[in-house]
Amino acid sequence: MGAVRLKIACVAMLMAGVATAASARDLTVVSFGGSLQDAIRAAFITPFVDGGGAKVIEDTYDGALSKITAQVETGATKWDVIDVESNQLLQGCQEGAFEQLDHSKLGDLSKVLPAAKDFSPCGVGFLTGAQVLVYDKAKLADGPKTWADFWDVKKFPGKRGLKFGPKNTLEAALMADGVPAADVYEVLSAEGGVDRAFKKLDEIKSDIVWWKLGAESIQQLASGETVMATAYNGRVVAANRDENRQFEMAWDAGSIYFLDYFAILSGSEKKEDAEKFIAYAIGAEGQREFPSHIGYGPTNLAAFEGMDAKVSAELPTEERLASSVFRDDKYWLDHNDELTQRFNVWAAQ
Amino acid sequence: MALERALATGPSASRERAAFRLPRIGRSQFAAAGLLAPAVFATIVCLVIPLVMFLVRGVSNSEIVTALPTTIQSLQNWDGQNLPPDETFARLAEDLSVARTSGKLGELGRRMNIMVPGFRTLVMKTGTQMQTVPAEPRTALIEIDKRWGEPEVWQLLRQESGRWTDSYFLASIDLKRTPGGDIVQVSPDQKIFVGLFVRTFAISISVTVICLLIGYPAAYVLASASPKWVGLLLLLVLLPFWTSTLVRSTAWIVLLQNEGLINRTLRALGIIDGSLPLFANRFAVLVAMTHVLLPYMIMPIYAAMKAVPADQMRAAGSLGATPPRAFRRVYLPQTHAGVAAGSLLVFILALGYYVTPAIVGGPGDQMISYFIALFTNESLNWGLASALGTLLLLATTLFYVVFSRFGRSGAGAH
């Protein structure tokens, strides 16, 4: 009996030890992996930790909101700071998956884009990315300048690459139909707006090559599969730099830009450290360092002061953003399911 | 002796087996049950219970019932004509105000958006302004958003006020209820799921047949290979298992595109002029899925073939059968079980695939699991995901029942 009791006591102590070790975890920052996570590590995490901030461990995920809500619902939160896209931020905030941020704890936000700090009370934007009109200057010396050119198969014969799905594609179609960037969502949500966009897409339907993964649109341009395409600006910059490509981005056509946000998981036990990390990430120093690692732009305009001109030439600057459409994820949150079904029916015909 | 009888195949063996009696339940049986208990328990807790919970989601309407309890009650007394009385508007304002503080507003918005796209914003906009219940609820609500002044909105709300709903299952077969309560087809530009199911089964059956046509001869070579070569051949069959499916699927992009390796080689050799359309179509989907699923067909057939005694074909020949007849009457029936097992495995796996068709296929090659994943991961529309998944599960179970009968009847036919 004594031996059994001793064994039980040992096991209980071991389990208690394991439990306490598990709860004393480090600040966990989560993003999408790959070059984006490398850039976050180089520009934010490493300087933050070196500068005396809390110890940080990383994790990756694929962006599925279900992974976040599952943790919050079961109470077993193991993540703290998460890199979320705008639609997940909106939906997660509405459903209580994220903490409300206290802007007073995040440092000087005076030069931060309104789209970054006012979009949602649960997150702060730390990078601007855009889907731009891209073509290979090596193959097309005089390339397309507007979305109308993208739709002009006589002037620029060849296949076009577009992202498979209603998001970004319907906006591009409306801009090709003459809608100014500022009015795109007004027209899209009005009566007949969606029909107009699909009708415009019908005009070049047989010349479209659909891409699904970000790397695909670049690969199609590089191999000559498409003569022009929409692509994420960060990937275009990476392809030009790492593979010696001459991809040209037609910023004047008007891009569709979006932000990535940092949010804090609801119920996180590292909330204070998480706020300090986010404050560093949107501070001028972190924001200035970030674009040199990946071609996305800063959300804190103070970062442009003192930035290498070669780097800032490739970024979504204030002027370029002014002529672009800010992807309205409130609209997409309402209509994504319905329009994805409609898009699939249309595309399969 | 008992073991040999249990493992024997053939007609007399089944008769003997029928006469074989189990020993009386003894202590060894209890010990065996005890060893099995943790596995059974784990299966029930980790598989059966979550599965049942998930299936229940397909008919559950809990979001509306928990967020708008008094509104629902008040709507039961409404006759459905024009707009409900002022009292109902007041109940709605109260319920939304409570939902706002209890954090249930987002969930309600998501649920109502499934009913009508755009209702998420309606709920959020109205709910966030309900700090206090207004004095004139009807005018206040309609002022916030004029949709509250439309009878259809209230009729839909009354329709969906039960604890259970059939809207998800109706949606999964492209049907919906009008505000009046009739079941109608959804508009043609939204009709997608029935076609998707048909397409999913068509692709899965095609892949199964192709895997069978390639896998059976491959398994035969494997089963009759000399011991010197078996090791290497098995390695070749199993090697794809050790690479990620995503990597293998993306590799096909490089091979099959218009400017991919195959087309470029054919052009360089002068065999073709332009490009063969090998990518973003059904051909690519079938090729890539067969590539991934072939080992699952080969291994069960190989196992069945190994169990066939090597001298039976020779014996059939000595009795006067030509090789094709011997194959048909002696060899083939004994591999039925392996064929059935391999086909069932490949078919069920193919039903659930969506990454491979999404990467290499065109817009006309999306499979149903793509949408199940979309509703589960992105839109959190677990009701529709569950309904679609339940239909898939039912169809799969049906196929399993049919296939397993085929397998059994094949083995005992002679």
Side-chain angles (χ1 to χ4, degrees), chain B residues 200 203-204 207-208 289 293 345-353 367:
Chain B
T200 305
I203 294 182
S204 303
V207 171
T208 308
M289 283 180 72
L293 293 172
L345 196 55
V346 168
F347 180 73
I348 292 181
L349 285 173
L351 281 180
Y353 264 52
M367 291 172 65

Side-chain angles (χ1 to χ4, degrees), chain A residues 337 340-341 344, chain B residues 51 54-60 114 165-175 190-198 200-201 351-352 354 366-377 379-397:
Chain A
D337 280 359
T340 302
Q341 270 181 247
N344 271 274
Chain B
L51 201 62
F54 181 72
L55 294 176
V56 165
R57 288 257 189 190
V59 289
S60 165
I114 296 169
T165 175
D166 58 3
S167 60
Y168 296 122
F169 273 97
L170 285 176
S172 66
I173 47 175
D174 296 325
L175 299 171
Q190 292 283 119
K191 234 161 46 140
I192 193 172
F193 292 121
V194 173
L196 272 177
F197 274 115
V198 172
T200 305
F201 284 113
L351 281 180
Y354 69 94
Q366 300 269 51
M367 291 172 65
I368 192 77
S369 313
Y370 171 80
F371 278 89
I372 299 180
L374 177 77
F375 293 132
T376 308
N377 288 330
S379 26
L380 301 185
N381 185 350
W382 290 359
L384 191 50
S386 162
L388 290 170
T390 309
L391 290 184
L392 198 59
L393 182 65
L394 284 176
T396 312
T397 314

Side-chain angles (χ1 to χ4, degrees), chain B residues 109-369:
Chain B
R110 191 210 328 132
R111 172 66 183 93
M112 291 197 61
N113 203 61
I114 296 169
M115 276 160 49
V116 179
F119 273 16
R120 188 197 300 266
T121 314
L122 174 66
V123 168
M124 295 309 295
K125 198 169 42 158
T126 320
T128 45
Q129 296 188 41
M130 288 289 128
Q131 264 105 354
T132 50
V133 179
E136 295 277 308
R138 183 193 285 253
T139 29
L141 280 175
I142 296 182
E143 212 185 289
I144 294 177
D145 193 303
K146 59 177 163 58
R147 278 178 284 191
W148 292 122
E150 286 164 24
E152 289 84 39
V153 176
W154 294 97
Q155 283 162 349
L156 278 171
L157 205 51
R158 193 170 70 125
Q159 222 177 67
E160 293 295 326
S161 46
R163 174 70 183 81
W164 309 105
T165 175
D166 58 3
S167 60
Y168 296 122
F169 273 97
L170 285 176
S172 66
I173 47 175
D174 296 325
L175 299 171
K176 65 172 184 192
R177 278 193 192 275
T178 59
D182 312 309
I183 299 183
V184 295
Q185 291 227 327
V186 300
S187 64
D189 57 4
Q190 292 283 119
K191 234 161 46 140
I192 193 172
F193 292 121
V194 173
L196 272 177
F197 274 115
V198 172
R199 190 194 298 160
T200 305
F201 284 113
I203 294 182
S204 303
I205 292 176
S206 311
V207 171
T208 308
V209 169
I210 297 174
C211 280
L212 192 56
L213 291 175
I214 301 177
Y216 197 94
Y220 185 78
V221 168
L222 212 56
S224 50
S226 65
K228 198 170 47 149
W229 290 104
V230 166
L232 176 66
L233 289 173
L234 264 176
L235 184 72
L236 288 177
V237 171
L238 293 175
L239 200 61
F241 273 142
W242 300 332
T243 338
S244 124
T245 314
L246 193 60
V247 169
R248 281 184 277 168
S249 306
T250 17
W252 284 109
I253 300 181
V254 178
L255 280 174
L256 295 173
Q257 273 190 332
N258 284 337
E259 297 294 317
L261 272 172
I262 293 183
N263 273 315
R264 285 208 197 183
T265 315
L266 291 177
R267 236 179 287 152
L269 292 174
I271 299 178
I272 56 169
D273 239 343
S275 333
L276 292 173
L278 298 173
F279 189 68
N281 54 20
R282 190 60 56 92
F283 174 79
V285 172
L286 293 178
V287 164
M289 283 180 72
T290 307
H291 175 215
V292 170
L293 293 172
L294 201 54
Y296 295 101
M297 178 66 82
I298 293 181
M299 298 315 289
I301 301 182
Y302 168 69
M305 285 178 172
K306 282 304 268 189
V308 177
D311 39 15
Q312 278 191 357
M313 287 289 278
R314 284 202 294 273
S318 76
L319 286 170
T322 56
R325 193 146 182 254
F327 177 76
R328 223 178 0 107
R329 297 291 309 278
V330 175
Y331 195 82
L332 194 56
Q334 293 188 67
T335 56
H336 265 169
V339 167
S343 307
L344 192 64
L345 196 55
V346 168
F347 180 73
I348 292 181
L349 285 173
L351 281 180
Y353 264 52
Y354 69 94
V355 173
T356 308
I359 292 180
V360 304
D365 302 310
Q366 300 269 51
M367 291 172 65
I368 192 77
S369 313

Side-chain angles (χ1 to χ4, degrees), chain A residues 143-157:
Chain A
K145 306 255 177 339
T146 63
W147 288 108
D149 286 341
F150 194 91
W151 251 252
D152 197 339
V153 281
K154 286 199 197 70
K155 196 161 152 205
F156 301 101

